[in-house]
Amino acid sequence: MEIGIDSFIATGAYEGVLNPQQNIEAIEALLSKIEHADKMGLHIFGLGEHHRKEFLDEAPAVILAAAAARTKNIKLTSAVTVLSAADPVRVFQEYATLDLISKGRAEIVAGRGSFIDAYPLFGLNLQDYDQLFEEKIELLLAIRDKETVSWKGKFRAPLHEQSIYPRPYQESLPVWIGVGGTPESFIRAGKLGLPLIVAVIGGETHNFRPLIDLYYEAGEKAGHPREKLKVGLHSLGYVAEDTAQAKDEYFPGYQEMMGKIGKERGWPIPTRSQFEAQAGLTGAYVVGSPEEVAAKILRHSKALGGISRFTFQMDNPGLTQEQVYKSIELIGKKVIPLINQA
């Protein structure tokens, strides 16, 4: 199983805009974190895409290219590329270039995003939400699979015998589908035969099993071999020396972060008891000691019928750099070996 981290470069600038020096420091901190994750033996680092003042991941491929120059082994992926609001040709060119810089460590996780800001920003109609993604994933895969493409759709100018460059270092640039909780998204990924990343940021993880069964069923009906249909899981998580310490360190920043998002979306501020339930035996959050975290990832894997990748969402304004680095070290030195032994 691959273990890694996803980040949105959350700056915490909900009430104002950071100045350039603060932005420089935030990006440098992220690059240093990716470098540390590589040294600690983590397998993957993903970077999200948002178009809001509280994030700095508007151009993830650029930041991942900088990370590629400072790392040796870790895979570098989007998490997710908001493909509905992007040009698939440019997305492919950017990540093919990243693949060349990293010598074969680039991946794309394509999705529709958890915020809608990109749609008005790029002049798109939110009513076309599904159609945009379906058309653009089709074009992205066509470009990935063939150097010269003829294609016609509704939302982009057609291509006629158009060659797309550069080609990536890898023979086939990996493309995953990032999904939330709609059955249609799971079925679409299965029909396309693409690996799946499931974002579970609340509730109980085992409740997603019926949706994953839909994914496998759709994939097999479309003629895709089972080994091609991989499932990854993305959840909030953090590791410390013992479980009580991990929860105590993680909760204050978690409450602040979720409180600010909730203010926008109409959620109440989460309480400690609600957090404890989510961090419990079957809850989605993976927060605890290395032993408890490894055991929970394995329980989640079993409940979902087997996962091939797990990524921690560790952005938290209450954690110090020292705490985050220690957590990454514990993941690399203890959690991954425990999972491998199992």
Side-chain angles (χ1 to χ4, degrees):
M1 187 189 302
E2 294 179 311
I3 305 293
I5 295 173
D6 291 330
S7 177
F8 301 152
I9 328 183
T11 64
Y14 288 88
E15 307 302 330
V17 179
L18 299 183
N19 64 47
Q21 184 58 39
Q22 290 172 305
N23 286 338
I24 289 171
E25 291 169 1
I27 290 176
E28 175 56 34
L30 175 81
L31 293 173
S32 296
K33 183 163 65 174
I34 300 173
E35 192 173 7
H36 183 62
D38 184 46
K39 291 176 180 176
M40 292 299 106
L42 275 66
H43 304 117
I44 189 156
F45 200 103
L47 191 58
E49 178 191 338
H50 300 81
H51 299 274
R52 302 167 64 87
K53 64 183 177 182
E54 64 266 30
F55 301 106
L56 274 174
D57 57 358
E58 286 81 0
V62 176
I63 300 172
L64 291 173
R70 295 170 57 159
T71 55
K72 295 181 179 180
N73 300 306
I74 198 166
K75 292 180 181 178
L76 301 167
T77 182
S78 60
V80 300
T81 294
V82 185
L83 188 62
S84 304
D87 181 355
V89 174
R90 292 298 290 155
V91 169
F92 178 83
Q93 290 174 326
E94 288 168 357
Y95 282 87
T97 303
L98 172 62
D99 203 49
L100 294 170
I101 294 169
S102 66
K103 300 181 177 63
R105 294 185 281 130
E107 295 188 358
I108 298 170
V109 178
R112 295 177 294 183
S114 58
F115 293 93
I116 62 171
D117 304 80
Y119 294 85
L121 178 63
F122 295 108
L124 301 168
N125 191 332
L126 196 58
Q127 293 181 342
D128 297 324
Y129 189 75
D130 286 317
Q131 292 181 62
L132 280 163
F133 185 79
E134 289 180 358
E135 178 174 298
K136 292 187 178 188
I137 190 66
E138 174 192 285
L139 177 54
L140 178 64
L141 295 176
I143 297 168
R144 181 194 68 170
D145 295 340
K146 196 172 181 182
E147 185 174 316
T148 301
V149 175
S150 291
W151 177 90
K152 185 176 182 180
K154 178 180 177 181
F155 300 103
R156 189 199 186 283
L159 300 172
H160 178 67
E161 291 298 307
Q162 180 67 55
S163 298
I164 310 295
Y165 302 107
R167 306 310 295 178
Y169 181 91
Q170 298 174 80
E171 182 176 348
S172 180
L173 187 65
V175 176
W176 296 62
I177 297 290
V179 300
T182 63
E184 295 78 12
S185 296
F186 286 79
I187 293 169
R188 180 191 296 117
K191 287 180 178 178
L192 292 171
L194 295 176
L196 185 73
I197 294 288
V198 186
V200 181
I201 57 173
E204 296 186 322
T205 302
H206 65 266
N207 290 331
F208 281 73
R209 178 63 184 268
L211 295 171
I212 289 174
D213 289 342
L214 285 177
Y215 163 69
Y216 285 128
E217 181 182 347
E220 290 171 354
K221 281 185 178 179
H224 301 293
R226 183 63 178 253
E227 61 270 17
K228 189 179 178 182
L229 302 172
K230 298 187 293 184
V231 174
L233 176 63
H234 161 96
S235 297
L236 299 180
Y238 176 69
V239 186
E241 292 287 358
D242 64 70
T243 296
Q245 177 190 351
K247 291 178 178 178
D248 287 344
E249 290 177 353
Y250 191 79
F251 175 72
Y254 159 82
Q255 186 180 49
E256 177 187 343
M257 174 178 65
M258 297 304 286
K260 288 176 178 176
I261 295 174
K263 185 178 179 181
E264 179 179 329
R265 298 189 177 188
W267 306 338
I269 296 174
T271 65
R272 180 64 186 247
S273 62
Q274 290 170 329
F275 169 75
E276 290 284 351
Q278 288 292 318
L281 191 67
T282 59
Y285 302 164
V286 184
V287 178
S289 67
E291 294 76 16
E292 175 58 30
V293 163
K296 191 164 189 179
I297 291 172
L298 292 168
R299 285 199 301 272
H300 283 340
S301 180
K302 183 177 181 180
L304 297 178
I307 61 174
S308 61
R309 175 177 294 182
F310 179 84
T311 55
F312 292 82
Q313 168 49 275
M314 207 181 294
D315 288 352
N316 184 310
L319 295 174
T320 66
Q321 184 184 55
E322 181 181 1
Q323 289 170 331
V324 171
Y325 274 45
K326 182 62 177 177
S327 185
I328 292 171
E329 179 183 344
L330 290 171
I331 293 169
K333 301 301 183 184
K334 293 189 176 182
V335 174
I336 290 175
L338 285 168
I339 290 174
N340 288 340
Q341 289 169 17

